[in-house]
Amino acid sequence: MTTAKLVPLTDYREYPVEEMRRRAGEFYAEMKRRRTVRDFSDRPVPREIIETGIRAAGTAPNGANMQPWHFVVVSDPAIKHRIREAAEAEEREFYSERAPQEWLEALAPLGTDEHKPFLESAPYLIAIFVETYGLLPDGRKVKHYYAHESVGIAAGILITALHHAGLATLTHTPSPMNFLNQILDRPANEKPFLLLVAGYPADGARVPVIRKKPLEEIATFL
Ligand code: IYR
């Protein structure tokens, strides 16, 4: 017996094919302009833009609609400072000891190193957590399905939403990043997934020369 409660799909919109083509092309052109930025301005950004972006992320398709994500938005300079200290400590070890040569060579074209000033200069750090399981008010655990896939999709929507609004982002993954649980006081069922840095690019910000694979390389049509 099904307990599903179904209602008519009313919000879906179909477009004439020509309009569909135009919309698809315009969206691609908009996304093609997105670059990961590492030089951030400290110019303030209205919190509402971040809130609306997170609302958009929260619409992501996800396993059994458990919505296994939590977003912690950090603008407090003291907390940003603690995150920077902890992240740079991990990064120092990564770049000087932990990272295999092959990994360092793969990163060389990006020009990254252990210094992460953007963790203090950017107006917002959005720590994205994956809830590996849920918790009922009485403490019982609720199983989550495809939690990492779900949070990955939500993170992609958040990046897209902030880009669309006119902000730059950086997907930062200090590894390991368990320190985020302590600093941000998150429970054990939440694991740090990604630290998304958001704000305006600094004046004169530069980005590495990279190439995106063309369609033929990334897709197969059968
Ligand atoms: N977490 C390190 C290293 C790093 C790893 C990957 I994979 C990148 O695409 C970029 C950086 C850092 O943030 O520097």
Side-chain angles (χ1 to χ4, degrees):
M1 189 190 77
T2 174
T3 54
K5 184 169 170 243
L6 304 177
V7 293
L9 172 69
T10 49
D11 289 342
Y12 169 77
R13 276 194 224 164
E14 179 177 322
Y15 303 100
V17 170
E18 236 350 275
E19 193 176 344
M20 201 157 52
R21 211 169 262 135
R22 180 181 58 75
R23 291 175 62 93
E26 283 176 4
F27 186 73
Y28 170 48
E30 163 101 342
M31 291 313 292
K32 217 159 56 132
R33 290 191 302 100
R34 189 203 60 79
R35 289 301 309 262
T36 287
V37 163
R38 290 187 174 79
D39 296 334
F40 282 87
S41 158
D42 61 3
R43 272 168 65 205
V45 166
R47 182 172 128 167
E48 190 195 336
I49 306 298
I50 306 296
E51 289 174 350
T52 307
I54 294 174
R55 284 193 183 98
T59 69
N62 67 92
N65 198 33
M66 296 291 181
Q67 304 166 65
W69 40 64
H70 191 80
F71 301 85
V72 180
V73 181
V74 180
S75 57
D76 181 322
I79 303 177
K80 286 198 278 185
H81 179 72
R82 289 180 63 198
I83 290 176
R84 178 182 179 180
E85 297 274 290
E88 286 186 337
E90 294 295 354
E91 298 292 351
R92 266 193 299 277
E93 236 186 84
F94 173 82
Y95 281 96
S96 65
E97 290 164 43
R98 256 187 295 120
Q101 194 53 30
E102 190 182 11
W103 195 344
L104 292 176
E105 280 165 21
L107 292 178
L110 304 180
T112 57
D113 61 24
E114 67 273 32
H115 302 292
K116 306 297 177 191
F118 50 75
L119 293 175
E120 288 190 270
S121 56
Y124 292 106
L125 308 180
I126 309 172
I128 307 177
F129 289 85
V130 49
E131 286 180 354
T132 51
Y133 56 90
L135 282 174
L136 293 171
D138 65 6
R140 271 183 301 149
K141 293 183 179 179
V142 179
K143 195 151 168 39
H144 282 173
Y145 306 94
Y146 299 102
H148 286 81
E149 292 85 345
S150 303
V151 179
I153 296 167
I157 293 177
L158 179 56
I159 292 164
T160 304
L162 296 180
H163 168 69
H164 183 68
L167 292 178
T169 58
L170 164 64
T171 38
H172 182 45
T173 50
S175 160
M177 49 181 166
N178 324 338
F179 62 82
L180 288 173
N181 281 76
Q182 278 136 34
I183 296 176
L184 303 176
D185 196 23
R186 299 312 303 170
N189 64 323
E190 292 183 14
K191 301 279 175 251
F193 183 77
L194 187 62
L195 187 57
L196 193 69
V197 184
Y200 294 106
D203 288 340
R206 297 193 304 165
V207 293
V209 176
I210 55 166
R211 158 189 178 273
K212 293 291 184 189
K213 294 177 184 175
L215 181 67
E216 302 68 47
E217 265 180 63
I218 63 171
T220 302
F221 293 78
L222 300 176

